[in-house]
Amino acid sequence: MRRIIIGVTGASGTIYAIDLLQKLAQIPEVETHLVLSQWAKQNLALETGFTLKQVQALADVAYNINDQGAAIASGSFLNDGMIIVPASMKTVAGIASGYGENLISRAADVALKEQRKLVIVPHETPLSVIHLENLTKLARLGVQIIPPIPAFYDHPQTIQALVNHQTMKLLDALAIPNHAAPRWQGDGVTK
Ligand SMILES: Cc1cc2nc3c(=O)[nH]c(=O)nc-3n(C[C@H](O)[C@H](O)[C@H](O)COP(=O)(O)O)c2cc1C
């Protein structure tokens, strides 16, 4: 059994979190632990047709963002990694400065101190020097930064195809075998 923590914050792109949860829910060997910030809940309603209950039902365990006593707030809770998707610049700043003001930034702080896998999917544009410096600091600490940048070499025709590509990147980062999206097979040019 592999345990994955998923934090969802109030940046645009809640659909990426939902798609990841849907795909992980199909893998019996993966146990998901989910927490949404207040603004993630707002964006869920603004950007998608999903209810909070429907999203929470995709996870094995769901936590309240203010519950600093939750299992995932402790380093003694063993897990195989945490993904924050999408990650707001506010949450990125909190993690980069060690300010665990809610359960997402606290769980990320724990991942850093325990030197566990941490993946961040930052969503903002344009990026200020503050954003870039915070992300650089985290990358230097071993955090994997995987912004939602679509690939066009497989000629995506739908939003779902673009989202699938991002989910493939996230599952790959967690070393979870998947066929979420077509992979580049080479350009066919041979000697
Ligand atoms: C519709 C909407 C879209 C937003 N998109 C972004 C975004 O893409 N990136 C970002 O950093 N903040 C974005 N924000 C602002 C964050 O929600 C805000 O900074 C919030 O305090 C983040 O808190 P959280 O990280 O605890 O969720 C957005 C807000 C709204 C209402």
Side-chain angles (χ1 to χ4, degrees):
M1 185 58 81
R2 303 191 57 194
R3 267 183 183 162
I4 306 296
I5 300 168
I6 298 161
V8 187
T9 76
S12 186
T14 321
I15 191 172
Y16 294 113
I18 295 170
D19 192 62
L20 177 67
L21 283 162
Q22 286 175 328
K23 289 183 169 61
L24 288 176
Q26 290 166 18
I27 308 173
E29 300 80 27
V30 176
E31 182 183 281
T32 49
H33 294 252
L34 174 68
V35 52
L36 284 86
S37 74
Q38 277 315 122
W39 280 99
K41 291 177 190 171
Q42 300 278 346
N43 280 4
L44 176 70
L46 282 168
E47 296 185 342
T48 79
F50 286 81
T51 65
L52 178 60
K53 273 196 171 161
Q54 286 171 328
V55 173
Q56 288 178 332
L58 292 169
D60 292 290
V61 185
Y63 303 92
N64 185 294
I65 186 70
N66 296 313
D67 184 7
Q68 294 279 27
I72 61 171
S74 170
S76 66
F77 179 79
L78 296 176
N79 65 82
D80 299 285
M82 175 175 188
I83 293 193
I84 305 179
V85 53
S88 75
M89 292 304 104
K90 180 207 131 187
T91 290
V92 167
I95 298 166
S97 56
Y99 187 61
E101 63 122 9
N102 63 32
L103 186 55
I104 293 175
S105 39
R106 167 62 188 168
D109 199 43
V110 169
L112 288 177
K113 83 182 175 76
E114 302 292 340
Q115 300 187 359
R116 295 191 182 122
K117 182 102 195 156
L118 179 57
V119 177
I120 286 181
V121 181
H123 189 284
E124 188 52 282
T125 194
L127 290 159
S128 74
V129 173
I130 294 173
H131 303 151
L132 291 165
E133 283 185 352
N134 285 334
L135 289 166
T136 301
K137 185 175 178 183
L138 292 174
R140 287 206 174 102
L141 288 166
V143 176
Q144 209 167 349
I145 311 291
I146 310 185
I149 295 178
F152 295 99
Y153 46 72
D154 56 355
H155 299 272
Q157 299 298 308
T158 61
I159 291 176
Q160 184 61 50
L162 298 175
V163 173
N164 285 342
H165 184 84
Q166 178 67 15
T167 303
M168 175 179 74
K169 294 280 181 181
L170 301 184
L171 294 171
D172 287 353
L174 294 169
I176 294 175
N178 72 91
H179 302 285
R183 292 176 188 276
W184 179 246
Q185 301 296 337
D187 60 8
V189 175
T190 52
K191 271 189 188 172

PDB file of all heavy atoms in Angstrom, residues 105-120:
ATOM      1  N   SER A 105       0.191  23.675   4.491  1.00  0.00           N
ATOM      2  CA  SER A 105       1.576  24.152   4.638  1.00  0.00           C
ATOM      3  C   SER A 105       2.300  23.409   5.759  1.00  0.00           C
ATOM      4  O   SER A 105       3.516  23.189   5.688  1.00  0.00           O
ATOM      5  CB  SER A 105       1.619  25.670   4.833  1.00  0.00           C
ATOM      6  OG  SER A 105       0.592  26.117   5.651  1.00  0.00           O
ATOM      7  N   ARG A 106       1.555  22.975   6.778  1.00  0.00           N
ATOM      8  CA  ARG A 106       2.182  22.179   7.840  1.00  0.00           C
ATOM      9  C   ARG A 106       2.622  20.802   7.300  1.00  0.00           C
ATOM     10  O   ARG A 106       3.749  20.370   7.533  1.00  0.00           O
ATOM     11  CB  ARG A 106       1.208  21.994   9.018  1.00  0.00           C
ATOM     12  CG  ARG A 106       1.607  20.941  10.035  1.00  0.00           C
ATOM     13  CD  ARG A 106       2.929  21.247  10.733  1.00  0.00           C
ATOM     14  NE  ARG A 106       3.347  20.112  11.562  1.00  0.00           N
ATOM     15  CZ  ARG A 106       4.549  19.972  12.110  1.00  0.00           C
ATOM     16  NH1 ARG A 106       5.486  20.892  11.900  1.00  0.00           N
ATOM     17  NH2 ARG A 106       4.844  18.934  12.840  1.00  0.00           N
ATOM     18  N   ALA A 107       1.751  20.140   6.559  1.00  0.00           N
ATOM     19  CA  ALA A 107       2.101  18.813   6.023  1.00  0.00           C
ATOM     20  C   ALA A 107       3.284  18.929   5.049  1.00  0.00           C
ATOM     21  O   ALA A 107       4.149  18.042   5.012  1.00  0.00           O
ATOM     22  CB  ALA A 107       0.891  18.183   5.333  1.00  0.00           C
ATOM     23  N   ALA A 108       3.327  20.031   4.295  1.00  0.00           N
ATOM     24  CA  ALA A 108       4.455  20.234   3.371  1.00  0.00           C
ATOM     25  C   ALA A 108       5.743  20.481   4.167  1.00  0.00           C
ATOM     26  O   ALA A 108       6.814  19.985   3.810  1.00  0.00           O
ATOM     27  CB  ALA A 108       4.159  21.411   2.449  1.00  0.00           C
ATOM     28  N   ASP A 109       5.625  21.236   5.247  1.00  0.00           N
ATOM     29  CA  ASP A 109       6.778  21.501   6.114  1.00  0.00           C
ATOM     30  C   ASP A 109       7.314  20.188   6.691  1.00  0.00           C
ATOM     31  O   ASP A 109       8.529  19.970   6.778  1.00  0.00           O
ATOM     32  CB  ASP A 109       6.335  22.445   7.243  1.00  0.00           C
ATOM     33  CG  ASP A 109       7.509  23.143   7.902  1.00  0.00           C
ATOM     34  OD1 ASP A 109       8.411  23.603   7.167  1.00  0.00           O
ATOM     35  OD2 ASP A 109       7.536  23.205   9.146  1.00  0.00           O
ATOM     36  N   VAL A 110       6.391  19.316   7.053  1.00  0.00           N
ATOM     37  CA  VAL A 110       6.769  17.989   7.577  1.00  0.00           C
ATOM     38  C   VAL A 110       7.488  17.186   6.489  1.00  0.00           C
ATOM     39  O   VAL A 110       8.521  16.556   6.741  1.00  0.00           O
ATOM     40  CB  VAL A 110       5.525  17.231   8.106  1.00  0.00           C
ATOM     41  CG1 VAL A 110       5.861  15.770   8.387  1.00  0.00           C
ATOM     42  CG2 VAL A 110       4.978  17.911   9.355  1.00  0.00           C
ATOM     43  N   ALA A 111       6.961  17.240   5.265  1.00  0.00           N
ATOM     44  CA  ALA A 111       7.605  16.510   4.156  1.00  0.00           C
ATOM     45  C   ALA A 111       9.045  16.981   3.983  1.00  0.00           C
ATOM     46  O   ALA A 111       9.955  16.168   3.776  1.00  0.00           O
ATOM     47  CB  ALA A 111       6.809  16.708   2.867  1.00  0.00           C
ATOM     48  N   LEU A 112       9.253  18.303   4.104  1.00  0.00           N
ATOM     49  CA  LEU A 112      10.614  18.840   3.957  1.00  0.00           C
ATOM     50  C   LEU A 112      11.519  18.367   5.087  1.00  0.00           C
ATOM     51  O   LEU A 112      12.637  17.919   4.859  1.00  0.00           O
ATOM     52  CB  LEU A 112      10.577  20.376   3.926  1.00  0.00           C
ATOM     53  CG  LEU A 112      10.010  21.017   2.669  1.00  0.00           C
ATOM     54  CD1 LEU A 112       9.983  22.529   2.819  1.00  0.00           C
ATOM     55  CD2 LEU A 112      10.842  20.642   1.444  1.00  0.00           C
ATOM     56  N   LYS A 113      11.024  18.462   6.319  1.00  0.00           N
ATOM     57  CA  LYS A 113      11.898  18.111   7.450  1.00  0.00           C
ATOM     58  C   LYS A 113      12.182  16.621   7.502  1.00  0.00           C
ATOM     59  O   LYS A 113      13.258  16.205   7.920  1.00  0.00           O
ATOM     60  CB  LYS A 113      11.329  18.632   8.774  1.00  0.00           C
ATOM     61  CG  LYS A 113      10.268  17.775   9.450  1.00  0.00           C
ATOM     62  CD  LYS A 113       9.761  18.441  10.722  1.00  0.00           C
ATOM     63  CE  LYS A 113       8.608  17.660  11.353  1.00  0.00           C
ATOM     64  NZ  LYS A 113       8.987  16.448  12.060  1.00  0.00           N
ATOM     65  N   GLU A 114      11.238  15.818   7.026  1.00  0.00           N
ATOM     66  CA  GLU A 114      11.441  14.364   7.013  1.00  0.00           C
ATOM     67  C   GLU A 114      12.125  13.909   5.718  1.00  0.00           C
ATOM     68  O   GLU A 114      12.359  12.714   5.535  1.00  0.00           O
ATOM     69  CB  GLU A 114      10.097  13.637   7.153  1.00  0.00           C
ATOM     70  CG  GLU A 114       9.315  13.979   8.411  1.00  0.00           C
ATOM     71  CD  GLU A 114       9.970  13.465   9.694  1.00  0.00           C
ATOM     72  OE1 GLU A 114      10.803  12.546   9.616  1.00  0.00           O
ATOM     73  OE2 GLU A 114       9.648  14.014  10.775  1.00  0.00           O
ATOM     74  N   GLN A 115      12.403  14.885   4.846  1.00  0.00           N
ATOM     75  CA  GLN A 115      13.039  14.619   3.550  1.00  0.00           C
ATOM     76  C   GLN A 115      12.259  13.581   2.741  1.00  0.00           C
ATOM     77  O   GLN A 115      12.817  12.636   2.182  1.00  0.00           O
ATOM     78  CB  GLN A 115      14.505  14.229   3.729  1.00  0.00           C
ATOM     79  CG  GLN A 115      15.272  15.341   4.417  1.00  0.00           C
ATOM     80  CD  GLN A 115      16.767  15.120   4.479  1.00  0.00           C
ATOM     81  OE1 GLN A 115      17.284  14.120   4.015  1.00  0.00           O
ATOM     82  NE2 GLN A 115      17.470  16.061   5.065  1.00  0.00           N
ATOM     83  N   ARG A 116      10.930  13.801   2.710  1.00  0.00           N
ATOM     84  CA  ARG A 116      10.070  12.942   1.891  1.00  0.00           C
ATOM     85  C   ARG A 116       9.742  13.651   0.580  1.00  0.00           C
ATOM     86  O   ARG A 116       9.944  14.848   0.444  1.00  0.00           O
ATOM     87  CB  ARG A 116       8.777  12.622   2.657  1.00  0.00           C
ATOM     88  CG  ARG A 116       9.029  11.793   3.895  1.00  0.00           C
ATOM     89  CD  ARG A 116       7.744  11.255   4.503  1.00  0.00           C
ATOM     90  NE  ARG A 116       8.049  10.504   5.708  1.00  0.00           N
ATOM     91  CZ  ARG A 116       7.543  10.779   6.919  1.00  0.00           C
ATOM     92  NH1 ARG A 116       6.668  11.748   7.074  1.00  0.00           N
ATOM     93  NH2 ARG A 116       7.898  10.059   7.969  1.00  0.00           N
ATOM     94  N   LYS A 117       9.176  12.901  -0.318  1.00  0.00           N
ATOM     95  CA  LYS A 117       8.835  13.424  -1.642  1.00  0.00           C
ATOM     96  C   LYS A 117       7.785  14.536  -1.525  1.00  0.00           C
ATOM     97  O   LYS A 117       6.744  14.356  -0.881  1.00  0.00           O
ATOM     98  CB  LYS A 117       8.256  12.279  -2.470  1.00  0.00           C
ATOM     99  CG  LYS A 117       7.910  12.657  -3.867  1.00  0.00           C
ATOM    100  CD  LYS A 117       8.980  12.172  -4.807  1.00  0.00           C
ATOM    101  CE  LYS A 117       8.886  12.812  -6.155  1.00  0.00           C
ATOM    102  NZ  LYS A 117      10.159  12.802  -6.859  1.00  0.00           N
ATOM    103  N   LEU A 118       8.081  15.682  -2.129  1.00  0.00           N
ATOM    104  CA  LEU A 118       7.111  16.775  -2.175  1.00  0.00           C
ATOM    105  C   LEU A 118       7.056  17.301  -3.608  1.00  0.00           C
ATOM    106  O   LEU A 118       8.087  17.636  -4.198  1.00  0.00           O
ATOM    107  CB  LEU A 118       7.506  17.898  -1.204  1.00  0.00           C
ATOM    108  CG  LEU A 118       6.590  19.122  -1.159  1.00  0.00           C
ATOM    109  CD1 LEU A 118       5.148  18.757  -0.816  1.00  0.00           C
ATOM    110  CD2 LEU A 118       7.108  20.162  -0.152  1.00  0.00           C
ATOM    111  N   VAL A 119       5.852  17.337  -4.152  1.00  0.00           N
ATOM    112  CA  VAL A 119       5.640  17.813  -5.523  1.00  0.00           C
ATOM    113  C   VAL A 119       4.710  19.016  -5.458  1.00  0.00           C
ATOM    114  O   VAL A 119       3.668  18.962  -4.795  1.00  0.00           O
ATOM    115  CB  VAL A 119       5.001  16.709  -6.402  1.00  0.00           C
ATOM    116  CG1 VAL A 119       4.701  17.233  -7.806  1.00  0.00           C
ATOM    117  CG2 VAL A 119       5.906  15.482  -6.467  1.00  0.00           C
ATOM    118  N   ILE A 120       5.103  20.079  -6.139  1.00  0.00           N
ATOM    119  CA  ILE A 120       4.279  21.293  -6.147  1.00  0.00           C
ATOM    120  C   ILE A 120       3.908  21.641  -7.582  1.00  0.00           C
ATOM    121  O   ILE A 120       4.760  21.642  -8.476  1.00  0.00           O
ATOM    122  CB  ILE A 120       5.041  22.456  -5.460  1.00  0.00           C
ATOM    123  CG1 ILE A 120       5.037  22.217  -3.940  1.00  0.00           C
ATOM    124  CG2 ILE A 120       4.427  23.799  -5.800  1.00  0.00           C
ATOM    125  CD1 ILE A 120       5.721  23.287  -3.134  1.00  0.00           C
TER     126      ILE A 120
END
